[in-house]
Amino acid sequence: MRLRAFIAANTTSEDCHELAQQLRRPSKPRNLSMQAFYYHLVELNGYDGWLPGDELPLTPVSIKQAFYDGMPPTWRERFIQAGHSQPLVNQAALSRYFQMQEKLAVAKANDNMA
């Protein structure tokens, strides 16, 4: 409760707008795991209602789209080339696919280091 009051007293509607924009156009940092990236999106989306302003939190469908959009472009290209369609798969299937891409990328990076 105190945290919520602190945030409300020390943030502006511009902060709320900035958070909403970051949620709608995310980019997964290279050093952040795919799963942690998803959890960060969900967590930050939950804070949207704590900030002053009239930005609405993302819906589950919008979070799934933001998650997909935040993945590296080559991973998204492979997803499409494999015959998948983001709107037609659920979040669990999308996460599993990108988790496999992440494992392949880590293995490839380890091979390159060796």
Side-chain angles (χ1 to χ4, degrees):
M1 191 61 129
R2 289 183 181 173
L3 178 60
R4 203 172 193 156
F6 175 82
I7 290 171
N10 292 287
T11 58
T12 65
S13 59
E14 289 83 19
D15 295 323
C16 184
H17 177 73
E18 185 177 321
L19 174 62
Q21 293 307 307
Q22 289 177 4
L23 287 169
R24 286 176 176 82
R25 293 184 187 93
S27 180
K28 184 185 99 46
R30 183 173 281 232
N31 62 347
L32 186 66
S33 75
M34 177 276 317
Q35 198 66 36
F37 176 68
Y38 175 72
Y39 289 138
H40 283 302
L41 284 176
V42 172
E43 181 180 9
L44 289 173
N45 190 55
Y47 293 141
D48 189 78
W50 292 25
L51 298 172
D54 56 359
E55 297 284 344
L56 295 174
L58 298 178
T59 65
V61 171
S62 298
I63 289 174
K64 186 176 83 160
Q65 182 68 53
F67 173 73
Y68 175 82
D69 292 343
M71 291 295 113
T74 54
W75 295 7
R76 292 190 315 246
E77 288 170 17
R78 288 182 196 139
F79 182 80
I80 293 167
Q81 289 171 353
H84 302 297
S85 175
Q86 182 272 337
L88 300 178
V89 298
N90 63 26
Q91 181 62 48
L94 195 59
S95 293
R96 278 192 304 275
Y97 182 85
F98 287 127
Q99 190 171 36
M100 181 174 311
Q101 292 301 310
E102 183 175 59
K103 286 179 183 178
L104 292 171
V106 168
K108 185 176 180 180
N110 289 340
D111 287 346
N112 289 339
M113 294 291 275

